Amino acid sequence: MAQKGAQLDRETISCSICLDLLKDPVTIPCGHSYCMNCIHNFWDQEDEKKIHSCPQCRQTFIPRPVLMKNTMLAVLVEELKKTGLQAAPDDHCYAGPEDVACDFCTGRKLKALKSCQVCLASYCEKHLQPHYDISQLNKHKLLELSKKLQENICSRHDEVMKMFCRTDQQCICYLCSVDEHKGHDTVSAAAERTERQRELEVSRQNIQQRIQDREKDVKELQQEVEAINGSADKAVEDSEKIFAELIRLMEKRRSDVKQQVRSQQETEVSRVKELQKKLEQEITEMKKRDAELEQLLHTEDHNKFLQNYPSLSRHSESTDSSSINIRPLRYFEDVTAAVSELRDKLQDVLRDQWTNISLTVTEVDVLLSSSQPEPKTRAGFLKYSREVTLDPNTANTKLLLSEENTTATAMREHQSYSSHPDRFTQRCQVLSTQSLTGRCYWEVEWKGKEFV
């Protein structure tokens, strides 16, 4: 309890400007006490206004009060110093380059906690306390910290700008309203803020409605994407099945042709070989008879020759082979011709049908509800007009750009353009500098004939 009482005594006799124990304490007419140097430095800054005020209660004094040392407070301060309870604020309480500093701290300033809209000053915890303790300061409006409080001060009258001139659309002070803004439509800044807030609320509601509409559009577009993907996937799947069926059918027909050809081949070869075997047997028998006839011809015994001649000669005459007409076989060549004819017909059918299929694919169109109808008149097209300028880095050397790169003239002689990788070298072409996206419209004026 003793330590708490000492702490309270210390706070009571501390300077609210430097937050340290009073040094050469003085009491100003409103009753608040400060270090003599602190209050002198504070009032030195107010000398130009010819009005001096209390840093805590803002009471003003004219003329500047003459200050005398308060001996009673000086004795109390010395007594308190002997207790050894004097302490300095922690380093983390001091204002850095990015912080808002307290306007009433002298020397190394502390961080401010709040800004006062009436006082137009920022206060640290110590200097802010009077705004909570003093009834007159309780009415002041405390704001979040701001480094631009002076922007609320009229540069001409050095008064707080609490009014708004609707005629000139600017904040003014009360003196301005009866001076250069006399006769203008003026209201309080609070009233104007209320009006503008209502307008902002309406604008915000409109934006929120547009956001909802766009979110709905995005959702519908996503559904369209899913529908397109689903339809395309099904079309590809069905097409694969149909083509697979066609391939299976072609494979079956190919197998049937192969099987029929091989079967017919086997039949014909068997017939030929059977005839070949028969002929070979006939040849063998004829060679045997020929050998017997040759042996008879060389028989020296006349009686034996004459005895065997009748039988051999009759057998020889009866052996007469029928003639065989062997002609070239063209059966399988006709098969090849027939298959070739089928191939040609299928190619014609596929070519004609492919054109229809390709056109059907390219004509697929998803009509979105948010899309704009195609313009029908020039006035409708002009809503999408774009200014197009030509890029000299892409122009062919036989094109002359003029009129701020909006006109291109075909020339027979080469122009002296600098070398650039984007330049057209084969054809007389040039690109625009703008990147055109979405629906765009522009008009081109053409003079003369095409230059080759």
Side-chain angles (χ1 to χ4, degrees), residues 209-378:
Q209 183 61 46
R210 290 175 60 188
I211 291 174
Q212 292 178 1
D213 294 341
R214 288 295 176 262
E215 289 177 345
K216 181 180 178 182
D217 293 340
V218 169
K219 185 176 181 180
E220 292 179 354
L221 289 175
Q222 181 61 34
Q223 293 174 350
E224 292 291 348
V225 169
E226 294 174 357
I228 292 171
N229 291 336
S231 178
D233 293 342
K234 189 175 186 304
V236 170
E237 182 180 357
D238 293 344
S239 299
E240 289 289 333
K241 290 180 180 179
I242 295 172
F243 279 110
E245 291 176 1
L246 289 174
I247 292 172
R248 284 195 298 269
L249 178 61
M250 294 301 296
E251 286 289 339
K252 186 177 184 306
R253 293 293 178 260
R254 181 184 67 83
S255 177
D256 292 344
V257 171
K258 180 180 179 181
Q259 183 178 358
Q260 290 179 8
V261 169
R262 293 304 183 192
S263 177
Q264 186 66 23
Q265 175 189 9
E266 183 179 353
T267 301
E268 294 300 324
V269 169
S270 177
R271 290 174 56 193
V272 171
K273 286 187 175 181
E274 183 180 355
L275 180 59
Q276 181 183 5
K277 182 179 180 181
K278 182 178 179 182
L279 291 177
E280 288 176 348
Q281 290 176 353
E282 186 178 347
I283 291 172
T284 301
E285 291 178 359
M286 286 189 296
K287 285 182 177 181
K288 180 181 180 181
R289 296 188 190 102
D290 180 66
E292 291 176 349
L293 291 174
E294 183 182 6
Q295 183 180 4
L296 181 60
L297 284 175
H298 293 87
T299 301
E300 296 179 356
D301 188 343
H302 301 299
N303 293 328
K304 188 177 180 179
F305 174 83
L306 293 173
Q307 291 175 353
N308 294 328
Y309 174 76
S311 61
L312 290 176
S313 61
R314 287 194 305 270
H315 191 70
S316 174
E317 291 175 358
S318 62
T319 307
D320 184 14
S321 62
S322 59
S323 62
I324 298 175
N325 184 17
I326 300 177
R327 57 184 177 82
L329 297 177
R330 299 184 66 255
Y331 303 110
F332 300 124
E333 293 178 3
D334 294 339
V335 172
T336 302
V339 174
S340 298
E341 183 179 358
L342 175 61
R343 177 200 61 194
D344 296 339
K345 290 182 179 180
L346 285 175
Q347 286 179 343
D348 293 339
V349 171
L350 289 175
R351 181 175 58 252
D352 296 339
Q353 292 301 318
W354 172 249
T355 301
N356 295 334
I357 294 173
S358 180
L359 290 175
T360 303
V361 172
T362 56
E363 287 175 357
V364 171
D365 184 19
V366 179
L367 181 60
L368 301 179
S369 59
S370 60
S371 62
Q372 296 295 329
E374 185 74 22
K376 302 298 183 182
T377 63
R378 182 174 182 273

Side-chain angles (χ1 to χ4, degrees), residues 19-266:
L19 300 182
D20 203 350
L21 293 177
L22 292 168
K23 303 179 184 65
D24 297 327
V26 294
T27 302
I28 62 177
C30 64
H32 292 109
S33 300
Y34 303 93
C35 299
M36 183 174 292
N37 287 336
C38 291
I39 192 62
H40 275 309
N41 292 335
F42 181 77
W43 281 349
D44 288 343
Q45 298 175 7
E46 294 183 334
D47 277 343
E48 295 180 359
K49 301 178 183 179
K50 307 299 182 182
I51 299 176
H52 303 85
S53 61
C54 172
Q56 295 189 51
C57 66
R58 311 301 289 180
Q59 182 176 341
T60 57
F61 312 107
I62 303 175
R64 177 171 176 169
V66 177
L67 301 178
M68 301 297 293
K69 182 177 179 179
N70 189 322
T71 56
M72 182 179 295
L73 283 177
V75 173
L76 291 175
V77 170
E78 291 299 325
E79 291 293 331
L80 188 57
K81 284 182 178 180
K82 294 178 180 179
T83 63
L85 297 178
Q86 183 177 4
D90 296 335
D91 287 341
H92 68 272
C93 295
Y94 288 113
E98 302 299 326
D99 299 321
V100 178
C102 176
D103 292 322
F104 288 90
C105 288
T106 58
R108 189 175 181 183
K109 295 181 177 292
L110 298 178
K111 293 180 183 179
L113 296 180
K114 293 284 185 179
S115 298
C116 179
Q117 187 179 28
V118 179
C119 302
L120 294 177
S122 298
Y123 299 95
C124 63
E125 182 178 6
K126 177 67 177 180
H127 290 133
L128 183 64
Q129 192 61 37
H131 278 75
Y132 298 123
D133 299 337
I134 300 175
S135 59
Q136 294 90 336
L137 299 182
N138 285 340
K139 300 178 181 180
H140 291 188
K141 186 174 182 179
L142 298 177
L143 308 173
E144 295 299 324
L145 292 176
S146 174
K147 293 183 178 181
K148 300 180 180 180
L149 287 174
Q150 292 301 317
E151 292 181 358
N152 295 327
I153 300 295
C154 176
S155 59
R156 181 170 181 176
H157 300 103
D158 202 23
E159 293 287 340
V160 178
M161 295 186 291
K162 296 183 179 180
M163 303 190 71
F164 184 81
C165 178
R166 290 177 172 174
T167 304
D168 296 331
Q169 291 294 303
Q170 67 180 66
C171 293
I172 60 175
C173 68
Y174 174 75
L175 295 178
C176 289
S177 65
V178 296
D179 193 358
E180 64 268 25
H181 292 270
K182 184 179 181 180
H184 290 186
D185 182 10
T186 59
V187 295
S188 67
E192 184 67 14
R193 173 192 172 93
T194 302
E195 182 67 22
R196 294 293 177 260
Q197 279 182 321
R198 283 197 294 264
E199 294 177 359
L200 288 178
E201 284 296 330
V202 174
S203 299
R204 188 163 174 262
Q205 291 174 2
N206 293 334
I207 292 175
Q208 290 176 346
Q209 183 61 46
R210 290 175 60 188
I211 291 174
Q212 292 178 1
D213 294 341
R214 288 295 176 262
E215 289 177 345
K216 181 180 178 182
D217 293 340
V218 169
K219 185 176 181 180
E220 292 179 354
L221 289 175
Q222 181 61 34
Q223 293 174 350
E224 292 291 348
V225 169
E226 294 174 357
I228 292 171
N229 291 336
S231 178
D233 293 342
K234 189 175 186 304
V236 170
E237 182 180 357
D238 293 344
S239 299
E240 289 289 333
K241 290 180 180 179
I242 295 172
F243 279 110
E245 291 176 1
L246 289 174
I247 292 172
R248 284 195 298 269
L249 178 61
M250 294 301 296
E251 286 289 339
K252 186 177 184 306
R253 293 293 178 260
R254 181 184 67 83
S255 177
D256 292 344
V257 171
K258 180 180 179 181
Q259 183 178 358
Q260 290 179 8
V261 169
R262 293 304 183 192
S263 177
Q264 186 66 23
Q265 175 189 9
E266 183 179 353

Side-chain angles (χ1 to χ4, degrees), residues 420-444:
H420 198 279
D422 296 336
R423 190 172 309 286
F424 288 104
T425 58
Q426 301 298 324
R427 294 184 178 274
C428 289
Q429 299 180 144
V430 60
L431 298 178
S432 67
T433 57
Q434 292 82 6
S435 176
L436 303 177
T437 58
R439 180 175 291 176
C440 300
Y441 170 79
W442 63 91
E443 295 179 345
V444 177

Side-chain angles (χ1 to χ4, degrees), residues 5-21:
Q7 179 66 22
L8 290 175
D9 289 340
R10 181 185 182 282
E11 292 177 356
T12 303
I13 57 177
S14 292
C15 175
S16 60
I17 296 178
C18 66
L19 300 182
D20 203 350
L21 293 177

Side-chain angles (χ1 to χ4, degrees), residues 393-405:
N393 291 328
T394 65
N396 185 279
T397 55
K398 285 193 175 182
L399 289 178
L400 175 62
L401 302 186
S402 58
E403 299 183 11
E404 297 182 352
N405 294 336

